[in-house]
Amino acid sequence: MAEYPGMSGEVMGMGVPDARRASRSIVAMLQWVGLAGAIAVVALTAGAQRWNPGELAVISGLAVLSETTAIYVTSWRVHVSGSFLGLMLAAVLLGGGPAAVVGITTIAVGWFRSHEAAHHLRDNLFTYAWFPLLSGLIFHAFVRHQQLDPGDGGYYLAVFCTFVFALMLNVALVAGYIAYVDQTSLLTKFWSFLKPILAPELAADLLTLGAVFLATHLGLTGLALFAIILVVFQYLVGELLISQRRGEELAKLATTDELSGLANRKSFSDRLSSEIASCKQVGKSFAVIMIDIDRFKE
């Protein structure tokens, strides 16, 4: 459901030390090799996948449409689309190979709208090839081993777990590259990407279960019904995230000086009132609390 195109302000190759430039060249080479490896795995496992032309075309169309109508939350650097649901649907219904094809197609077509930097396009192609591929291969291997079918409760539990696995792998791969480019902490970047979309993604996981059920029992008709649900869901999630981010920005403006970035008078007064109330509750003198200046610097 969410793609994370990096928007680093640094221009690749400009003003970058030779060692850093060499490191990026190695990373770029590894990404191309990884993408080629994913394509090779798709070819080698093609015989074990379900290449249904009709379902593949419908799911690809859904994913591409969602990607080209995505909502970008600039301050969070989060790209909200329903393509992730389409990829998971392909992974479950068709297999890892078809899902990887849908992923690569979605990113390639989506580029004509986003026009992201070449190195971010390369990373997204690598990511959107591997996480649906691995998710689909693992899901179908597990289902075969446990002899599950769409009539079993365990089958839908496997779908749910596959969605969570794919989400975490998607975020980890993209956050890892952005953290490398920005020279920031991987864990910090991972959480900053995951936090705003975690709740919507869990809801999307439930939607995926419903989509699998509809597609299994109604075929292409079920997928068409899911397409309508997907469009509405994408719009609502996009509006929710934008509203949530605006609320956070307004709260920050209300308590922070815009120029210095320090707490403003209102924030200081609120903290002061809180400290006075705390003094009264514990029976201490406010003068004693005022000695601890460090508490006001937090």
Side-chain angles (χ1 to χ4, degrees):
M1 192 198 82
E3 175 196 341
Y4 314 87
M7 301 289 287
S8 174
E10 181 182 7
V11 179
M12 297 292 286
M14 296 181 63
V16 181
D18 290 342
R20 181 71 172 155
R21 189 178 295 111
S23 173
R24 287 182 171 176
S25 297
I26 293 174
V27 170
M29 181 184 66
L30 291 175
Q31 287 173 328
W32 283 123
V33 171
L35 181 59
I39 295 173
V41 173
V42 171
L44 291 173
T45 60
Q49 311 298 312
R50 184 169 171 265
W51 298 89
N52 183 295
E55 292 184 0
L56 183 59
V58 171
I59 294 174
S60 297
L62 286 175
V64 169
L65 177 62
S66 295
E67 186 68 18
T68 54
T69 58
I71 299 172
Y72 186 68
V73 185
T74 306
S75 52
W76 266 336
R77 295 165 65 174
V78 174
H79 203 174
V80 182
S81 80
S83 60
F84 191 91
L85 278 75
L87 293 176
M88 289 299 94
L89 202 55
V92 170
L93 296 178
L94 304 176
V101 170
V102 174
I104 293 173
T105 302
T106 299
I107 293 299
V109 175
W111 180 85
F112 289 96
R113 180 190 181 218
S114 64
H115 294 292
E116 59 195 345
H119 64 109
H120 287 306
L121 172 62
R122 182 179 62 244
D123 181 63
N124 280 330
L125 286 171
F126 169 83
T127 300
Y128 272 66
W130 273 109
F131 85 77
L133 175 60
L134 290 177
S135 300
L137 292 176
I138 293 173
F139 172 79
H140 285 279
F142 178 80
V143 167
R144 284 194 300 269
H145 183 267
Q146 297 297 319
Q147 298 182 345
L148 299 174
D149 61 59
D152 300 324
Y155 181 89
Y156 292 96
L157 178 60
V159 173
F160 184 90
C161 293
T162 299
F163 187 103
V164 174
F165 168 77
L167 173 64
M168 296 303 169
L169 183 58
N170 176 204
V171 176
L173 288 174
V174 179
Y177 182 68
I178 302 301
Y180 165 76
V181 172
D182 292 348
Q183 292 291 281
T184 54
S185 166
L186 171 59
L187 291 178
T188 300
K189 191 68 68 176
F190 178 88
W191 180 241
S192 71
F193 283 156
L194 182 63
K195 182 181 177 181
I197 65 165
L198 184 57
E201 286 291 2
L202 291 178
D205 199 346
L206 298 179
L207 269 183
T208 302
L209 296 180
V212 171
F213 179 84
L214 289 174
T216 301
H217 291 81
L218 301 178
L220 292 178
T221 302
L223 289 177
L225 291 174
F226 173 68
I228 299 173
I229 298 173
L230 180 61
V231 171
V232 175
F233 181 76
Q234 176 177 322
Y235 173 77
L236 292 177
V237 170
E239 291 299 311
L240 175 64
L241 290 178
I242 292 174
S243 176
Q244 182 180 345
R245 186 56 178 172
R246 285 173 180 168
E248 291 183 2
E249 290 173 348
L250 289 175
K252 183 178 180 180
L253 287 173
T255 58
T256 307
D257 180 77
E258 187 174 356
L259 294 177
S260 65
L262 301 175
N264 61 15
R265 182 175 179 178
K266 182 181 182 303
S267 178
F268 181 81
S269 297
D270 290 343
R271 184 63 184 274
L272 189 60
S273 299
S274 175
E275 293 295 337
I276 292 174
S278 297
C279 290
K280 291 179 178 179
Q281 289 179 356
V282 298
K284 291 184 178 181
S285 169
F286 179 67
V288 175
I289 299 297
M290 284 294 291
I291 295 175
D292 189 4
I293 300 298
D294 287 339
R295 298 185 63 183
F296 287 84
K297 297 180 180 178
E298 296 178 358

